[in-house]
Amino acid sequence: MSRALMFAVGAVLMLAACGPRPSDAQPGRGLLVIVVDGLRADHVSALGYDRPTTPVIDALADKGAIFSDAWSASPEVLPSHTALLTGCDPGLAHRPSTALGGPATDLTNWLVPERLPSLAQELLADGFETAAFVDHPAVAPIRGVAKGFQTFQGFREFGDGQEQELAFEGVGTKFMNWLQGRAIDADWFAYVEVNDLERTWGRPSLDPFFETFAKPRAELAQVPPVAEGEHAFFAVPRPRWSRGAKTLGEYEARYDGAVREFDLKLKKLLERLDRNGRLRTTTVVLVGAFGLSFGEGGLILDTGALTAADLRVPWVIRPAENLSMRRGATIDGVVSLVDLAPTLLELHGLPVPIGMQGVSHAASLVSGAPSARAIAYASGGFQRGIAAIEPGWILARERPADAPTELLVRSWYGGPPPRASDGQSVAIERLVPRAAAAPGGDPPADTAAAARERMAFALDAWGDWVERSRALLHGRVSPTADPKTAADLRRRGLLGPAR
């Protein structure tokens, strides 16, 4: 090799040595959304629960913010996750001319319209690498919830010896394996669904500490009956029965132990993120998908009614170090889980698609502005219901006779359901003051009559818009048959050729 060539090669090597090394790269933006099925708000110690169930979640709230009055858009798995991922009312994904609500109809008559926006898609367009790791078979790409995710690792049925791939350990390990394959300076978004609390009854903890974490309350000494079916009112469904004459207090204590066990698993995952140098640059979001009932609204150890126990959930955001947001804040006022997607987009400096019905609460998180939402809506459940939630009241309309199974119908009525003169099912409307729905809450500021009139008007308008819109989005009605709704959907970018 000539001296000139040797000099040139040496210069190149010196320049390479002086340049940035992979280990010197700055970590990119991380966004981790952990969604826990069955996590109800009033069993989270950061929201006033009298048992120390969630010290890790509490610490996240101390370093970020917690919404004190967050509500799921549905008490069912698939609709709730649809609302979180799209920022839209989940009723838009129910195909028309099918019964709303109930697991069977969800699995056979559910499809997220292609034109609905997607949190993952918006982040992907901004350069984020995206992945989802889900723990329930209903949350599947065939339902349309995977749009925008480059990686979507769904639930599979496993045989003996593969249980470690289920629950938080399984989805958490899949998430960490995926993250370790990302460049340190990459921006990334991961959506992790955890179904541990729903499995509490069939798969008790192997650690005796969590089984004895809480003592049963004396006031919950009644022993609920057991029903033969998968779901029933006023009884424990047999698949969730723990054998023997267990009191409601024993079931609640077991649930609280499961919440504490999940909280510890969350700590271990965050510690792994920290050891990998990712935690400080990652915004961590912890949210409940829906709650769990212990007799409220008639369900026991189950979810599927439109009550505070089924719908009120925790929502915590611990921001990355460089994200502009208040720390240690409690955000009061009603918020909906359809607001999560627009809130996270705005916090990261991205425009919110006009097609999202959710509203952003970034201003509340950054500057302490009042909640941007006056009323939240929910739908679905076993009784084909719809509900409106305000700070002082819950107004719910349900049709128990339209429940998906005969057992559910008869367990509610104690026999054949009543019918109107035209043979149609009878709707039940109930107005519940929030002071009764959430112990410790302030009494309603207005009268029941005034609240019912105001909320009924809002509920009618919202329910009518959803019904008309989904008929157009799923092609059951021609745009020319409903030009007003079609024009509104086009303005929102929800109607037209698929993107």
Side-chain angles (χ1 to χ4, degrees):
M1 184 182 295
S2 67
R3 293 181 61 186
L5 181 58
M6 291 177 62
F7 177 80
V9 172
V12 170
L13 292 174
M14 289 179 64
L15 287 172
C18 294
R21 301 174 183 175
S23 59
D24 296 331
Q26 293 299 310
R29 295 173 294 173
L31 175 55
L32 173 60
V33 176
I34 301 173
V35 187
V36 188
D37 299 337
L39 182 58
R40 53 187 282 176
D42 59 355
H43 281 246
V44 171
S45 44
L47 292 172
Y49 194 45
D50 61 354
R51 289 171 175 165
T53 48
T54 54
V56 178
I57 295 176
D58 301 351
L60 287 177
D62 289 341
K63 296 175 183 177
I66 186 168
F67 290 91
S68 66
D69 205 17
W71 292 77
S72 175
S74 176
E76 300 172 76
V77 174
L78 189 51
S80 178
H81 286 276
T82 297
L84 286 162
L85 289 167
T86 65
C88 293
D89 189 281
L92 298 178
H94 275 291
R95 288 172 171 165
S97 32
T98 62
L100 293 178
T105 58
D106 281 348
L107 294 177
T108 56
N109 299 309
W110 184 275
L111 181 65
V112 178
E114 174 62 25
R115 294 288 293 186
L116 257 60
S118 159
L119 172 61
Q121 189 173 48
E122 298 301 318
L123 292 169
L124 180 64
D126 193 56
F128 282 72
E129 299 184 39
T130 60
F133 308 91
V134 303
D135 194 25
H136 193 284
V139 187
I142 195 172
R143 310 299 167 199
V145 295
K147 185 169 67 173
F149 287 110
Q150 296 166 301
T151 298
F152 194 98
Q153 295 190 18
F155 176 96
R156 291 189 295 122
E157 295 288 351
F158 296 100
D160 293 339
Q162 293 180 300
E163 288 82 2
Q164 70 275 8
E165 296 196 45
L166 293 169
F168 198 15
E169 292 93 338
V171 292
T173 298
K174 293 175 184 177
F175 157 64
M176 287 303 304
N177 290 341
W178 172 83
L179 185 59
Q180 289 169 3
R182 316 272 70 77
I184 191 65
D185 58 350
D187 296 335
W188 58 269
F189 162 54
Y191 186 89
V192 177
E193 181 221 3
V194 182
N195 197 245
D196 290 43
L197 299 183
E198 288 281 89
R199 294 192 181 95
T200 297
W201 321 110
R203 300 177 63 197
S205 175
L206 299 178
D207 189 331
F209 170 79
F210 300 110
E211 287 294 296
T212 59
F213 169 76
K215 294 182 178 180
R217 302 181 196 273
E219 63 270 26
L220 297 178
Q222 63 269 35
V223 177
V226 180
E228 288 299 322
E230 186 177 357
H231 304 286
F233 284 100
F234 310 113
V236 176
R238 183 165 289 275
R240 302 190 177 209
W241 177 44
S242 296
R243 303 293 185 268
K246 297 287 193 304
T247 68
L248 203 55
E250 289 177 292
Y251 282 118
E252 184 201 52
R254 184 170 174 181
Y255 171 80
D256 286 342
V259 173
R260 182 66 185 91
E261 184 172 18
F262 162 77
D263 194 70
L264 181 60
K265 294 176 182 178
L266 175 62
K267 178 182 178 181
K268 294 178 179 178
L269 179 67
L270 297 177
E271 288 173 343
R272 291 182 66 184
L273 274 177
D274 195 24
R275 288 195 299 270
N276 289 349
R278 304 269 193 174
L279 185 58
R280 66 181 182 84
T281 57
T282 297
T283 296
V284 180
V285 180
L286 186 288
V287 64
F290 46 82
L292 182 87
S293 288
F294 290 100
E296 306 92 339
L299 292 173
I300 302 175
L301 312 190
D302 206 351
T303 184
L306 298 178
T307 70
D310 299 76
L311 296 173
R312 186 167 168 254
V313 294
W315 177 5
V316 175
I317 300 180
R318 194 234 63 170
E321 288 182 356
N322 61 348
L323 195 66
S324 177
M325 206 184 97
R326 293 187 298 153
R327 267 65 171 174
T330 298
I331 312 299
D332 295 323
V334 170
V335 301
S336 169
L337 293 196
V338 298
D339 303 337
L340 182 136
T343 298
L344 294 182
L345 289 175
E346 188 171 350
L347 278 177
H348 286 82
L350 300 178
V352 178
I354 193 173
M356 287 186 175
Q357 286 98 54
V359 298
S360 171
H361 300 284
S364 298
L365 294 167
V366 174
S367 63
S371 172
R373 177 178 288 280
I375 188 168
Y377 299 101
S379 63
F382 295 137
Q383 299 180 333
R384 292 189 56 193
I386 57 175
I389 303 104
E390 287 187 349
W393 301 91
I394 302 173
L395 178 66
R397 295 173 183 162
E398 295 168 306
R399 292 183 177 272
D402 292 342
T405 68
E406 185 67 20
L407 176 62
L408 276 166
V409 174
R410 288 183 170 271
S411 66
W412 177 266
Y413 287 106
R419 295 282 179 179
S421 57
D422 59 359
Q424 297 297 310
S425 60
V426 178
I428 296 175
E429 182 176 280
R430 51 185 173 80
L431 181 70
V432 180
R434 289 287 307 281
D442 294 329
D446 54 1
T447 66
R452 185 183 296 275
E453 181 178 3
R454 179 184 64 254
M455 296 178 72
F457 179 82
L459 199 58
D460 287 340
W462 166 77
D464 181 66
W465 183 87
V466 171
E467 287 297 308
R468 290 176 176 272
S469 297
R470 72 191 188 103
L472 285 163
L473 292 173
H474 291 276
R476 296 293 201 273
V477 172
S478 167
T480 58
D482 189 356
K484 183 177 179 180
T485 306
D488 178 54
L489 293 176
R490 289 194 184 96
R491 179 184 63 83
R492 297 170 179 267
L494 300 180
L495 193 64
R499 288 176 289 184

